[in-house]
Amino acid sequence: MAGRAKSILVGYDGSEASQRALDAAATLTGYGSTLAVVNVSPEGSPAPRRPLVEARDRLARRQVQASYLGRYGDPADRLVETACDLDVDLVVVGRRQAALQRLVLGSVSAQVVRRAPCDVLVVR
């Protein structure tokens, strides 16, 4: 990552890993940069309001402004798609799966790293 990212996207689902990712993204947000928080829910589920409200409250305590987006579908697909749509410089995601789950299923963070059109920070 060259210099400070001007546009940052963070995936947030309310998990501990995504909370760490949100905190890292907030720390990286500086003067003149923007932060977008996206929550991806499975197709057909209710609107993803709760995690976005939690993210907003968490960022408000740090006095960080952001935009909040709810998406539906596969998390990796929607994160990469949103990164492209917003033309972000950096995507920040948390890593939370156990090693066996990653081996069998693959992880969202690994898929985003492979497919994102920009730098990706994976927070452990």
Side-chain angles (χ1 to χ4, degrees):
M1 184 171 79
R4 183 174 291 275
K6 294 197 185 292
S7 180
I8 302 169
L9 174 69
V10 61
Y12 189 82
D13 63 5
S15 67
E16 285 185 37
S18 71
Q19 290 173 8
R20 290 189 302 273
L22 185 67
D23 290 341
T27 300
L28 293 171
T29 302
Y31 181 76
S33 59
T34 61
L35 177 62
V37 180
V38 65
N39 173 264
V40 182
S41 297
E43 291 287 341
S45 66
R49 296 177 59 164
R50 184 172 174 218
L52 294 176
V53 170
E54 291 172 7
R56 185 195 69 218
D57 293 344
R58 192 173 186 95
L59 290 174
R61 287 191 295 272
R62 295 183 66 159
Q63 299 180 347
V64 173
Q65 292 185 351
S67 59
Y68 301 90
L69 308 164
R71 300 286 189 256
Y72 293 96
D74 177 75
D77 290 345
R78 296 296 85 79
L79 285 170
V80 170
E81 178 181 277
T82 304
C84 291
D85 291 348
L86 298 179
D87 193 27
V88 299
D89 301 315
L90 177 67
V91 176
V92 182
V93 292
R95 180 174 161 218
R96 69 177 180 176
Q97 285 185 323
L100 182 59
Q101 286 178 307
R102 279 193 311 275
L103 182 64
V104 174
L105 302 173
S107 71
V108 171
S109 58
Q111 291 177 47
V112 172
V113 166
R114 283 192 301 273
R115 297 171 34 209
C118 59
D119 292 332
V120 178
L121 172 63
V122 180
V123 180
R124 293 174 66 150

